[in-house]
Amino acid sequence: MEASPIAGAYADGALIADGVIAVEIAWLGAETFVSFNKRAVQRLEARGESARLLS
């Protein structure tokens, strides 16, 4: 099974929970990842994924 490109954004120390959530929402068909975690949002955006930071 090929690793998800979204999961790769978390391989170097970002919060694992956000990585798991990002993979799950992508699998369920969501278009945008939303989080309070600025680092997680930055990593996904850097990979070209749609992400939004809540404040």
Side-chain angles (χ1 to χ4, degrees):
M1 184 171 150
E2 187 175 322
S4 166
I6 295 173
Y10 296 89
D12 64 350
L15 291 176
I16 297 300
D18 279 322
V20 170
I21 292 167
V23 170
E24 288 294 315
I25 66 164
W27 181 74
L28 292 169
E31 295 179 11
T32 303
F33 175 80
V34 179
S35 177
F36 289 103
N37 185 325
K38 184 177 181 180
R39 187 173 176 192
V41 170
Q42 289 172 335
R43 289 175 182 267
L44 285 170
E45 288 176 336
R47 296 181 56 86
E49 303 292 335
S50 177
R52 181 173 175 200
L53 180 65
L54 296 174
S55 56

